[in-house]
């Protein structure tokens, strides 16, 4: 399961389609807070990679990465710029 944190619907559709080709399901969160909530949910326990937009509403990217790594240190985090 891939967690995408991005507030742009077109980007979400594109990433979801690309990820599906590789066998991933995608959870989408539009804000930093929503991303953290989804990661901590029962479904979020299945997340094996996180993609986030550089300009995520609700938090600066560096703080968000620190929070994501604190919540799930074993999950790789990749930033889209």
């Amino acid at each position: 399961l891939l967690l995408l944190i991005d507030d742009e619907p077109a980007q979400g559709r594109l990433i979801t389609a690309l990820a599906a080709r590789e066998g991933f399901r995608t959870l989408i969160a539009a804000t930093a807070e929503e991303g953290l909530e989804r990661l901590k949910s029962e479904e979020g326990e299945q997340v094996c990679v996180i993609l986030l937009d550089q300009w995520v509403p609700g938090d600066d990217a560096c703080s968000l990465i620190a929070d994501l790594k604190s919540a799930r240190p074993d999950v790789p985090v990749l930033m889209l710029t």
Side-chain angles (χ1 to χ4, degrees):
L1 186 61
L2 178 146
L3 173 59
L4 173 64
I5 305 174
D6 194 327
D7 66 335
E8 296 181 30
Q11 184 82 339
R13 289 189 298 274
L14 175 63
I15 297 295
T16 297
L18 292 172
R21 289 182 189 171
E22 298 301 320
F24 284 94
R25 286 187 310 115
T26 303
L27 268 178
I28 299 176
T31 66
E33 292 80 15
E34 184 183 356
L36 287 166
E37 287 176 21
R38 287 186 179 264
L39 189 61
K40 294 175 183 176
S41 72
E42 185 175 326
E43 188 175 30
E45 292 177 14
Q46 299 174 28
V47 169
C48 62
V49 65
I50 301 167
L51 293 177
L52 68 122
D53 184 38
Q54 181 178 4
W55 306 110
V56 175
D59 206 349
D60 70 87
C62 290
S63 294
L64 177 55
I65 291 170
D67 292 342
L68 292 168
K69 293 306 286 181
S70 176
R72 295 285 301 280
D74 58 320
V75 176
V77 178
L78 302 164
M79 181 184 293
L80 303 170
T81 61

